[in-house]
Amino acid sequence: MITSLSAIEIREKLKSKEISAKEIVTAYLKRIEEMEPKINAFITITEEEALKAAEKVDEKVREGKELGLLAGIPVAIKDNISTRGIRTTCASKMLENYIPPFEATVVEKIKEEDGIIVGKTNMDEFAMGSSTENSYFGATRNPIDTERVPGGSSGGSAAAVSAKEVPLALGTDTGGSIRQPAAFCGVVGIKPTYGLVSRYGVVPMANSLDQVGTFGRNVEDAALLLQVIAGHDKKDSTSVEIDKVDYIEKLKEDIKGMKVAIPKEYVQLNIDAKIKDCFLNTAKLLEKLGLVVEEVSIPSLKDSLPDYYIISTSELSTNMSRFDGIRYGYRTKDYKDIDELIKKSRSEAFGKEVKRRIMLGTYSLSKGHAEEYYKKALKVRTLIKNDFDNVFKNYHIILGPTTPTLPFKIGEITDPVTMYKSDLFTVAVNLAGICAISLPCGYADNLPIGLQIMGDRFKEINILKAAYALEMNLGGAK
Amino acid sequence: MAYKTLIGLEIHVELATKTKMFCSCSNEFGNEANTQCCPVCLGLPGALPVVNKSALEYAIRAGLAFNCNIATNTMMDRKNYFYPDLVKGFQITQADIPLCTGGYIEVDTKDGSKKVGLIRIHIEEDTGKSIHTESGDSLLDYNRSGVPLIEIVTKPEMNSKEEAQDFLEKLKSTLQYIEISDCKMEEGSLRCDINLNVVDEERGIKTNISEIKNLNSFSAVGKAIEYEEKRHISLLEQGRNTKRETRRWNEVENKTIVMRSKEVAADYRYGTEPDIAPIVIDKDWIEEIRANLPELPQQKKARFIREYNLPEYDAKVLTQSKELSQFFEETAKLSQDPKQVSNWIMGDLLRRINDEGIEIKDLKFTSKDLVDLLKLINDGKISNNIGKKVFREMFETGKKPEDIVKEKGLIQISDEGELKKVIEKVLAENEKSVMDYKNGKKRALGYIIGQVMKATKGKANPQLVNKIVTDMLNEK
C-alpha cells in the first residue's frame, strides 16, 4: 500500500523506479477523497497542480536528473502559509477568496526539492485555537476517534498525516499549535528554534512566537521535511544565519550519556493520571537506555500561560489590523463611510475567538494598561528565557507531557479559558524561543498520548536523536 | 504688553533612495498609480519588512549634518491606527529610541545668528496617497506606501515667521547639499507642520498649543504663522485662551480652520516592531559616513569668503544651493576676477533663472561660456551693456558668446578716428545741447553721449566716447 509507506520509503522507491510520482500522487488523492468526508482535514485540494508536479518529477526520473530530497512526496500545507495562485484562507471568512500573488519561502523550498503539494489544510481561524473547531469551514475530526478534536491550531495538517492522506505536512506553532495536535492525532510534530525557519509568506499570529514546523508519521520523516525548510532567508529579518546541520544523518547517533531534565513543576501538576504515568514511564525507559534523568525546578513555568496570552494577543491585535476590507479579503456590502466599511467588514468576517483575542491584545497595549500588562509580560518572558538557559547549561534536553488531557470531544470545551489551558505545557517553549518535538509515547482508552522533548536553541539534533531512539524502543511508529 | 511667540516645527522629508524603506520597490515619483508596489509595501498577509541600509545611511548623514547624536543601538516600533492609506493598520516608525537626538540648525535673526535646537530625527515609512474626488469617491495610490522618511522635530525655539522660514531654507539647503532629498514641497518630498503658542510675558500666561497642517510652501508657513500669532494674541487680549487643537491652513481664504481637538489625544498603542531585530550601528560606519559628508553650506560660505575674497553677502547668496555654488566655483576658477563672476551670477543669472523657474542644470551655456563673455568685456571688445545683451542670447539659445558677437556685429567701436567722425556729426546735429553744456548744464553731456550711443547702436566704447565728447566740447 503506497499510503502506508513512509516519506523516505516513497522517495527511495521513486528513485529506484519501482513506482512513479503519478502513481504516488494518484494513490494519495484517492485516499484523501475517501477520508475527507469523515475528517474534513483539507480546505483546498490542488489535484490538478499536484498531478502536473508529479508529471515533472517523473520526467526528471526518466531523464536521470538529480532528484530533490522530497522527490515524489505529497505534502500538505496549513492554510495560513501563502501559496501563489492557490487560495490561502487562514480558515476565515475574511480571506475566503484571497489568492496570494506570492509564495512563502518554505513552500518555494519544498518545490525546489521536488515535493508535491496536494492541498491546504484546515486550522483554527488565524491560528487562534487549540481544537480546529474555530474554522469557518467546519471542524476537523480526529482520525483516531472522529467524535474528538484533532487539536489545534494545525489540526488539519495533523489529521491529514494521521489518516495517511499525506506522509508529510507543514504547520505553524505559536504556543503549541503543532505539538498539541501531533499528540492528539498520534503523530510526530516538530517546532523548530525561533529563527531557524523563514516566516516570509506565513500569515502572522504573534511574530515573536510563530515558527513553521513539520508533521510526519515518524521522527525521520518529520526531520526530513525540517531539513528542507530550515535555513536563513534574507526576506525575513528574524531568521538566523546558521550553519546547516544534516538531521537525517545525525539523528541515528548514540544518545547514551545525554542528560535529561524533568521539571518538578510538571510532576506536581494535577493532570490526567494516565498521561502522567506514560510520561514517567518514558523517563524510566530513557534511564534504562543510559541517559541521566534528573528533576529540576523551573519556577517561571507557572507564569508561562498568562505571559503567553498577553504577549501573543498584543502582537496579534496589531497584525490583524490590515484586514480592513479595503484592498483584499471580505468587504461588507452596505456602508456609508470609511469607519462603517472597516467596522462592519471586520465584525462580519472575523469569528468569535479572533475578535476576543483582538480585544484582549488591544487592551493590553492601550494607554494606562501597557505598563501593567504588555511591558510587564515582556519582563516575565525574559525570566522564563533565563530559566531555560540555566537548565540547558547542565542538561541536553527537557522532558514533559505535551498536553494535560487526552483529546476531548468536539463541542466539549466551550469556556475559552479552559481551552487556553490546553497549552499549559507548550507555551513556555515559544516564549523562550527554543525547539521541541512531540511524539506518541503510549495509548490510554485507545487515545494517543504525546511526549514532549525540548532542546536548546539550534540544538534540534538533541531532541531528534532522543526522539528517534525512543521511537525505536517503543516499537517504532504506527 | 509683551508677547513672545514660540514656534516648533515637525518636518517630514522623503529620502531619495533608489528603493523604499522596507522593500525593493522603486522610490521614483510621478509614475502611474499602483505600479510600484509589492506584497511588503501593500501589507499583504505574510509579507515581512527588511530595513533599507541606504535609508539608514541617509538618515545618519542628516543627523551628522545637523550635529545630532547618532544612536548605536536603536529599534523600530509600530504606531497603530486605521486609515485606508495605511496598508497594515500600523506604521513602522521609531518611538522610544530615535536614530538621532539633539543637534541644531543655525538661523539668521535680526539680532545675529542663533541655534534652533532639534529634539530628534527618526526614520519611518510613508503612507499611500488618498485622492478624494468631487463625486465623493476616494482613490488610493500606494506608490508612496513604504517610501522612506525622516521626521525632524525641533524645539519650540523659533520666535517669528522670519526665523521659521530661514530655518526651513537652511534645512532644505543642507539636505540638498548632502544629497539625501530633493526637498520639493510641491511634490510632497518635504512636509511641514507647525506647533505654535504665545506667551504673555507680563502676566506669565501661555496659550494652548495649536498644531497647523496642510502647508504646501515656505510662504504658506510664513502666512500661517502670522495668522496664528494674531489669533492667539487677540484671544489673550480678550482674556481668553486658545484650545489645544489641530488646525488646517486654508490657502484660498488665508486662515486656519479647526481640524480636530487634541484634548483627547489618539492612543497609538505603540509597541516594538517584532519583525525587525534591534538595529546595531557600527561606530566605524558612522565615522565613515561623517568623513564622506560633502562640504556643508556654512563651511562652503566661509571658504568662499576666504578663498575668493568675497563679501559675506555674496558668499551667502552663492551658497544657497549646491548647484549654484558649484557653477560659481567652476566659473571663478577659470576667470581672473571672482567678484565679477559673483556679480554676474547674483545679478543677471539668478534673475533669469528665477523668472523662468528653471534650474542650473537646465542652463544652455556652460561656465566656460560665461568666462569667455567676461573676457570679451574685460578686453574691451564689447561694452558691459552689450555684454548683457549677449548674455540674454546665450541664456535663450546656448550659442557661444564669440559667435553671438560676430553674428550680430556687436564688437565695440574703440577706434578713436571712427568715433570722432560720429561725435562730430552728433555735435553738429545738436547745437542746442552744446550750448546748454557751455552754459553750465552738465546734464547735456549725458544727452549727447546718449545720442552717440544711439547712433552707434550701443557699440561705441562708452569710456572713450565720454572722453572724446568731453574733450571736444571743451575745445569748442
Side-chain angles (χ1 to χ4, degrees):
Chain A
M1 270 285 261
I2 293 181
T3 52
S4 293
L5 295 171
S6 75
I8 295 203
E9 283 168 344
I10 289 173
R11 186 179 179 278
E12 273 162 21
K13 288 190 191 285
L14 176 81
K15 214 168 161 202
S16 66
K17 304 200 181 158
E18 220 178 296
I19 47 175
S20 70
K22 183 160 178 219
E23 282 174 286
I24 297 165
V25 172
T26 307
Y28 276 99
L29 285 173
K30 186 148 166 267
R31 175 74 177 167
I32 289 172
E33 199 183 328
E34 189 192 319
M35 293 302 297
E36 274 304 280
K38 299 184 198 143
I39 64 172
N40 190 37
F42 281 88
I43 294 177
T44 303
I45 299 164
T46 54
E47 188 173 321
E48 217 181 287
E49 290 86 351
L51 288 167
K52 274 206 193 109
E55 182 64 61
K56 287 221 172 88
V57 173
D58 282 334
E59 203 178 300
K60 264 183 149 178
V61 174
R62 275 197 302 272
E63 293 174 2
K65 289 205 173 123
E66 192 175 329
L67 296 172
L69 284 173
L70 298 174
I73 303 174
V75 184
I77 310 283
K78 185 175 179 183
D79 211 13
N80 60 352
I81 300 175
S82 301
T83 40
R84 184 185 286 120
I86 309 247
R87 72 171 176 167
T88 299
T89 69
C90 298
S92 177
K93 183 176 176 176
M94 179 58 85
L95 295 180
E96 188 179 0
N97 298 304
Y98 168 70
I99 300 177
F102 71 110
E103 194 120 271
T105 300
V106 291
V107 173
E108 267 177 14
K109 286 184 160 188
I110 289 173
K111 287 182 176 174
E112 264 163 31
E113 293 293 336
D114 298 326
I116 297 174
I117 294 171
V118 293
K120 310 298 293 295
T121 55
N122 202 9
M123 49 186 280
D124 281 298
E125 191 181 349
F126 284 108
M128 301 182 206
S130 309
S131 65
T132 312
E133 291 173 289
N134 296 332
S135 165
Y136 179 63
F137 298 94
T140 293
R141 294 171 175 276
N142 192 325
I144 295 177
D145 176 344
T146 54
E147 297 293 299
R148 296 181 185 263
V149 301
S153 59
S154 311
S157 283
V161 169
S162 175
K164 298 186 177 154
E165 287 183 313
V166 283
L168 295 176
L170 282 188
T172 61
D173 189 312
T174 308
S177 289
I178 286 179
R179 293 161 285 153
Q180 184 248 31
F184 277 15
C185 291
V187 297
V188 175
I190 305 175
K191 177 213 125 23
T193 306
Y194 184 83
L196 181 70
V197 179
S198 168
R199 290 185 301 114
Y200 185 78
V202 180
V203 181
M205 179 175 137
N207 326 61
S208 74
L209 298 165
D210 294 345
Q211 267 299 267
V212 177
T214 67
F215 288 100
R217 279 204 326 279
N218 62 53
V219 174
E220 205 176 359
D221 277 4
L224 174 67
L225 187 53
L226 179 65
Q227 185 81 48
V228 168
I229 62 172
H232 175 63
D233 180 10
K234 63 180 196 301
K235 293 198 282 228
D236 175 356
S237 302
T238 59
S239 82
V240 175
E241 258 183 282
I242 199 156
D243 289 331
K244 262 220 152 165
V245 174
D246 190 336
Y247 302 128
I248 306 301
E249 191 194 302
K250 288 177 174 282
L251 64 78
K252 297 180 183 164
E253 282 175 3
D254 194 14
I255 59 166
K256 218 180 293 217
M258 269 179 97
K259 291 187 73 184
V260 184
I262 297 192
K264 73 151 82 77
E265 286 79 12
Y266 282 177
V267 183
Q268 291 162 354
L269 272 173
N270 197 5
I271 63 172
D272 189 308
K274 300 184 193 98
I275 293 183
K276 200 182 241 183
D277 281 342
C278 184
F279 156 59
L280 291 172
N281 286 336
T282 311
K284 289 204 188 92
L285 173 57
L286 284 174
E287 263 180 328
K288 265 213 311 225
L289 292 175
L291 281 68
V292 176
V293 181
E294 287 170 1
E295 237 180 50
V296 299
S297 176
I298 307 186
S300 57
L301 275 180
K302 68 174 176 4
D303 300 314
S304 56
L305 204 57
D307 194 44
Y308 168 80
Y309 273 98
I310 292 176
I311 293 178
S312 66
T313 54
S314 299
E315 287 185 10
L316 71 87
S317 70
T318 66
N319 289 329
M320 299 302 288
S321 299
R322 70 193 66 205
F323 303 111
D324 53 15
I326 293 171
R327 288 162 297 284
Y328 51 85
Y330 178 87
R331 187 194 280 200
T332 185
K333 303 240 173 349
D334 295 300
Y335 52 90
K336 58 178 188 329
D337 58 31
I338 193 67
D339 276 349
E340 223 175 66
L341 198 181
I342 297 176
K343 281 186 196 158
K344 282 173 96 179
S345 301
R346 290 163 68 83
S347 302
E348 288 163 20
F350 282 151
K352 258 210 210 118
E353 185 59 33
V354 171
K355 288 181 186 164
R356 185 175 292 130
R357 295 199 196 190
I358 292 175
M359 286 195 284
L360 278 172
T362 308
Y363 184 86
S364 301
L365 283 176
S366 62
K367 215 176 255 184
H369 302 292
E371 274 306 320
E372 200 187 329
Y373 292 104
Y374 180 64
K375 303 239 161 117
K376 187 149 243 173
L378 292 179
K379 292 180 185 168
V380 172
R381 182 179 189 169
T382 306
L383 295 176
I384 294 172
K385 174 188 170 290
N386 291 345
D387 273 1
F388 275 101
D389 285 348
N390 282 329
V391 174
F392 285 123
K393 280 195 184 121
N394 302 308
Y395 297 88
H396 294 93
I397 55 179
I398 300 173
L399 209 67
T402 307
T403 61
T405 67
L406 293 170
F408 42 89
K409 288 212 161 111
I410 292 176
E412 185 182 328
I413 300 184
T414 50
D415 166 45
V417 177
T418 308
M419 187 66 86
Y420 296 166
K421 288 186 178 161
S422 316
D423 300 332
L424 188 63
F425 295 124
T426 49
V427 296
V429 168
N430 305 75
L431 289 168
I434 60 176
C435 61
I437 184 172
S438 176
L439 67 154
C441 69
Y443 275 74
D445 306 335
N446 293 316
L447 296 171
I449 298 173
L451 176 83
Q452 184 177 210
I453 306 175
M454 298 168 241
D456 200 4
R457 270 171 234 106
F458 304 110
K459 296 276 181 6
E460 273 74 6
I461 200 54
N462 286 343
I463 60 173
L464 291 173
K465 274 186 347 192
Y468 183 77
L470 261 177
E471 188 181 68
M472 291 296 117
N473 279 283
L474 288 170
K478 280 217 153 67
Chain B
M1 220 66 73
Y3 294 112
K4 189 169 177 188
T5 308
L6 303 176
I7 302 162
L9 298 176
E10 207 175 282
I11 302 126
H12 287 88
V13 179
E14 280 179 11
L15 301 178
T17 50
K18 276 218 283 269
T19 58
K20 294 185 178 182
M21 185 75 227
F22 298 115
C23 66
S24 31
C25 285
S26 163
N27 189 5
E28 225 179 61
F29 175 83
N31 293 321
E32 193 187 327
N34 294 311
T35 54
Q36 286 166 213
C37 307
C38 73
V40 178
C41 56
L42 282 176
L44 294 188
L48 294 172
V50 179
V51 177
N52 180 337
K53 192 172 177 184
S54 238
L56 205 54
E57 190 197 316
Y58 281 27
I60 294 173
R61 260 194 237 171
L64 293 172
F66 297 130
N67 311 291
C68 307
N69 296 315
I70 314 289
T72 45
N73 283 285
T74 181
M75 56 199 247
M76 306 302 302
D77 298 301
R78 288 185 178 180
K79 177 179 182 182
N80 295 281
Y81 64 95
F82 285 97
Y83 203 69
D85 66 12
L86 188 64
V87 294
K88 298 187 291 295
F90 59 83
Q91 178 199 31
I92 301 180
T93 176
Q94 295 193 289
D96 292 335
I97 309 179
L99 180 65
C100 314
T101 47
Y104 60 87
I105 293 183
E106 277 195 58
V107 304
D108 300 323
T109 71
K110 46 184 166 50
D111 306 313
S113 86
K114 84 172 187 199
K115 289 182 179 166
V116 171
L118 301 179
I119 298 177
R120 53 186 278 157
I121 301 179
H122 72 253
I123 48 176
E124 61 183 27
E125 55 175 350
D126 209 344
T127 64
K129 229 191 311 205
S130 303
I131 301 157
H132 305 290
T133 67
E134 278 175 37
S135 50
D137 291 327
S138 292
L139 307 173
L140 291 156
D141 176 10
Y142 293 112
N143 282 353
R144 203 183 70 179
S145 170
V147 160
L149 295 177
I150 46 173
E151 179 178 321
I152 302 167
V153 182
T154 78
K155 291 187 180 168
E157 291 177 355
M158 288 161 275
N159 305 113
S160 70
K161 80 165 200 226
E162 288 79 17
E163 284 181 17
Q165 283 175 313
D166 195 51
F167 178 91
L168 288 170
E169 290 293 345
K170 295 270 176 15
L171 176 80
K172 177 175 172 173
S173 169
T174 302
L175 291 176
Q176 287 175 326
Y177 261 78
I178 60 179
E179 293 176 355
I180 65 168
S181 176
D182 55 25
C183 294
K184 291 193 178 149
M185 258 182 118
E186 339 73 76
E187 282 179 12
S189 55
L190 191 150
R191 292 165 234 162
C192 178
D193 295 338
I194 303 168
N195 286 304
L196 183 152
N197 69 338
V198 174
V199 185
D200 178 343
E201 292 187 300
E202 275 172 31
R203 291 187 287 159
I205 304 177
K206 269 189 195 173
T207 55
N208 288 314
I209 300 175
S210 311
E211 181 187 18
I212 300 130
K213 289 179 163 309
N214 194 41
L215 301 154
N216 294 321
S217 62
F218 289 178
S219 111
V221 171
K223 287 192 241 169
I225 289 175
E226 213 171 26
Y227 178 88
E228 273 300 291
E229 216 172 25
K230 285 203 185 97
R231 191 178 70 84
H232 280 237
I233 290 176
S234 153
L235 285 168
L236 276 175
E237 281 173 351
Q238 296 167 47
R240 292 159 62 199
N241 199 341
T242 53
K243 290 210 188 90
R244 194 176 157 75
E245 64 201 353
T246 302
R247 298 175 75 91
R248 203 184 140 82
W249 172 248
N250 186 315
E251 189 68 38
V252 171
E253 296 178 44
N254 265 315
K255 61 184 202 179
T256 63
I257 305 169
V258 184
M259 244 174 99
R260 58 176 183 262
S261 175
K262 267 200 139 178
E263 279 173 55
V264 185
D267 179 7
Y268 293 114
R269 301 191 310 283
Y270 285 101
T272 316
E273 171 50 78
D275 287 332
I276 298 176
I279 301 171
V280 177
I281 299 176
D282 195 21
K283 275 209 166 103
D284 288 339
W285 189 46
I286 298 177
E287 290 316 307
E288 199 185 306
I289 297 172
R290 195 197 302 270
N292 288 328
L293 270 182
E295 191 181 29
L296 298 176
Q298 295 289 76
Q299 297 165 314
K300 201 178 279 250
K301 181 176 122 179
R303 183 169 67 80
F304 276 14
I305 295 172
R306 230 177 32 242
E307 254 177 61
Y308 300 105
N309 258 316
L310 291 174
E312 165 142 16
Y313 177 78
D314 291 38
K316 185 171 171 202
V317 173
L318 294 170
T319 55
Q320 69 188 267
S321 95
K322 194 173 187 178
E323 283 184 316
L324 185 65
S325 68
Q326 278 169 341
F327 187 82
F328 163 75
E329 211 164 0
E330 266 166 35
T331 316
K333 285 204 166 104
L334 295 171
S335 94
Q336 319 283 47
D337 189 347
K339 180 68 175 109
Q340 185 189 29
V341 173
S342 171
N343 290 342
W344 275 80
I345 289 180
M346 288 198 302
D348 297 76
L349 183 64
L350 265 185
R351 188 168 41 238
R352 281 314 291 277
I353 284 181
N354 289 335
D355 283 347
E356 306 290 318
I358 62 164
E359 293 174 21
I360 295 275
K361 64 179 183 351
D362 302 323
L363 282 180
K364 295 192 175 130
F365 62 90
T366 66
S367 304
K368 174 138 195 331
D369 295 332
L370 181 56
V371 172
D372 288 344
L373 172 64
L374 296 180
K375 188 162 193 301
L376 287 173
I377 297 171
N378 294 337
D379 289 347
K381 294 226 174 88
I382 55 175
S383 69
N384 210 50
N385 280 348
I386 296 288
K388 286 183 194 275
K389 279 206 189 118
V390 175
F391 178 84
R392 234 171 284 146
E393 176 111 11
M394 271 165 65
F395 190 93
E396 273 150 30
T397 65
K399 284 199 185 134
K400 305 261 170 244
E402 312 85 65
D403 294 339
I404 298 169
V405 166
K406 208 179 280 180
E407 268 171 43
K408 300 224 154 119
L410 297 171
I411 295 279
Q412 198 163 241
I413 303 170
S414 299
D415 181 67
E416 284 203 32
E418 203 181 322
L419 282 176
K420 275 192 183 147
K421 277 201 205 128
V422 178
I423 292 170
E424 271 167 13
K425 185 155 184 272
V426 167
L427 289 178
E429 287 168 2
N430 292 280
E431 280 182 19
K432 181 170 187 298
S433 303
V434 176
M435 288 277 72
D436 287 343
Y437 180 78
K438 293 238 120 156
N439 289 334
K441 289 202 181 131
K442 298 295 170 195
R443 246 215 248 138
L445 174 66
Y447 179 74
I448 292 169
I449 290 175
Q451 293 298 97
V452 175
M453 296 308 285
K454 200 168 156 200
T456 60
K457 294 198 177 51
K459 289 188 285 187
N461 181 324
Q463 290 83 20
L464 264 182
V465 166
N466 194 320
K467 176 171 167 304
I468 298 172
V469 168
T470 312
D471 288 346
M472 284 178 114
L473 281 173
N474 290 338
E475 274 168 27
K476 280 201 189 283

